Amino acid sequence: MWQAARMDLHPALAPLAGLLGTWRGTGHGVYPTIDPFDYGEEVTFAHVGKPFLSYVQRTWEPDSGAPMHSELGFLRATGADRVELVIAQPFGATEALVGTVEDGRLRLRSQAVVTTPTAKRIDAVERDVTVTRDAQGPVLRYDLRMAAVGEPMTHHLAAELRPGD
Amino acid sequence: MWQAARMDLHPALAPLAGLLGTWRGTGHGVYPTIDPFDYGEEVTFAHVGKPFLSYVQRTWEPDSGAPMHSELGFLRATGADRVELVIAQPFGATEALVGTVEDGRLRLRSQAVVTTPTAKRIDAVERDVTVTRDAQGPVLRYDLRMAAVGEPMTHHLAAELRPGD
């Protein structure tokens, strides 16, 4: 079985070490084609001693706790300040993004988004993630923009997460 | 949080119900460009009441238990006998596959494989999965073929897994 607990962090992941662990909080979504919505969210970044982090995300309705979205993937450190992110989406999409990490700030732009025959079309995605620290401790914030269903690149999601269990 | 334990299986997932749970076993890999290798493997399919299964997979070296591969994704039921599978790979690839499920046999062919700028190129993937039953109980077998790094579609991986914990 996997031995993450005994593994040292791969040196290439040093610029991404601040992401490690589980984060929880709330987010807000908007898009020209849908009603705005709020969500609860949990994100976990983990490693197994190799130069990538696994990325496990899920969201839920704030009131009922019912599952909303989820996504799964891997964040790769590919040299110096370069990163790549590959993601699978349950509505029938994959994203491959490339970008940079600098001072706890990730800037990722899609190289290719694939949508399956039954999925709504997404043409491009931009994901910015920052890990900073305020009076209450570490905070992870992200902003996701997408060009989808005929709309140009437009803000879609923003959330603020704090360390979880 | 998610409430999988309280959720009924989505009716569209009935043809995929046999996959649910955790499976463990061993596999064998070959490819014209590499040495043959054995691996231990764990696969978990789970649901949250929606018409898809999450797919979490990891493999390890049989002797040392050290992590080898992992992949994450979602298997979607898209009507009648139709299925779609989206996967993220830690070496910098995404797969979107479409296919059929019939009598516990999945046949999936890649619609698109994306490899990131730093990854080895994969052009196409074929995945066949069966769930059957023998004297020892349920057994999940898969066969994975791929066209990659200049090779034509060629057998790469096969494994046999049994229900885990």
Side-chain angles (χ1 to χ4, degrees):
Chain A
M1 298 296 294
W2 282 38
Q3 304 171 309
R6 283 188 272 155
M7 293 281 175
D8 289 332
L9 193 69
H10 191 287
L13 291 179
L16 300 172
L19 291 168
L20 277 166
T22 295
W23 303 80
R24 289 205 189 88
T26 55
H28 185 70
V30 296
Y31 209 67
T33 54
I34 57 172
D35 291 330
F37 61 97
D38 295 310
Y39 56 94
E41 181 168 27
E42 180 182 277
V43 167
T44 299
F45 290 97
H47 81 100
V48 291
K50 299 192 178 196
F52 62 83
L53 301 177
S54 60
Y55 165 64
V56 175
Q57 185 259 23
R58 52 190 184 178
T59 69
W60 56 89
E61 292 175 6
D63 294 336
S64 68
M68 289 176 69
H69 181 67
S70 58
E71 55 191 39
L72 298 169
F74 298 96
L75 179 62
R76 293 155 44 73
T78 56
D81 64 344
R82 305 296 299 178
V83 290
E84 297 174 351
L85 178 63
V86 288
I87 292 181
Q89 302 269 11
F91 59 83
T94 66
E95 300 174 36
L97 306 99
V98 296
T100 55
V101 56
E102 205 169 0
D103 297 333
R105 172 183 296 270
L106 283 89
R107 289 169 45 87
L108 291 151
R109 305 293 178 260
S110 57
Q111 166 200 348
V113 181
V114 175
T115 43
T116 61
T118 65
K120 286 188 181 175
R121 174 145 178 193
I122 302 175
D123 292 306
V125 177
E126 297 182 353
R127 292 173 179 258
D128 294 337
V129 183
T130 61
V131 177
T132 55
R133 180 176 282 275
D134 64 14
Q136 292 137 282
V139 53
L140 183 156
R141 294 186 181 89
Y142 69 80
D143 182 79
L144 185 152
R145 299 175 293 282
M146 65 178 181
V149 294
E151 300 291 330
M153 186 61 68
T154 304
H155 172 69
H156 176 41
L157 302 171
E160 185 174 305
L161 310 179
R162 300 276 177 176
D165 295 337
Chain B
M1 299 296 293
W2 283 38
Q3 304 171 311
R6 281 189 275 153
M7 293 279 175
D8 290 332
L9 192 69
H10 192 287
L13 291 179
L16 300 172
L19 291 168
L20 278 166
T22 294
W23 302 80
R24 289 205 189 90
T26 56
H28 184 69
V30 296
Y31 209 67
T33 55
I34 58 172
D35 291 329
F37 60 97
D38 295 310
Y39 56 93
E41 180 168 28
E42 181 182 276
V43 167
T44 299
F45 290 97
H47 81 100
V48 290
K50 300 193 177 193
F52 63 82
L53 301 177
S54 59
Y55 165 64
V56 175
Q57 185 260 19
R58 53 190 183 179
T59 69
W60 55 90
E61 292 175 6
D63 293 336
S64 68
M68 289 177 67
H69 182 68
S70 58
E71 54 190 41
L72 297 169
F74 298 97
L75 178 63
R76 295 157 42 73
T78 55
D81 65 344
R82 304 295 299 178
V83 290
E84 296 174 352
L85 178 63
V86 289
I87 292 181
Q89 303 270 9
F91 59 84
T94 66
E95 301 174 36
L97 305 100
V98 297
T100 56
V101 56
E102 202 170 3
D103 297 333
R105 172 182 295 271
L106 284 89
R107 288 169 46 88
L108 291 152
R109 304 293 177 261
S110 56
Q111 165 200 347
V113 180
V114 175
T115 44
T116 62
T118 65
K120 286 188 181 175
R121 174 147 179 194
I122 301 175
D123 293 306
V125 177
E126 299 181 354
R127 293 174 179 256
D128 294 337
V129 182
T130 61
V131 177
T132 55
R133 179 176 282 274
D134 64 14
Q136 291 135 283
V139 54
L140 184 156
R141 294 186 181 89
Y142 69 79
D143 182 79
L144 186 152
R145 298 176 294 283
M146 66 178 182
V149 294
E151 300 292 329
M153 186 63 67
T154 304
H155 170 69
H156 177 40
L157 302 172
E160 183 174 308
L161 311 178
R162 300 278 175 174
D165 295 337

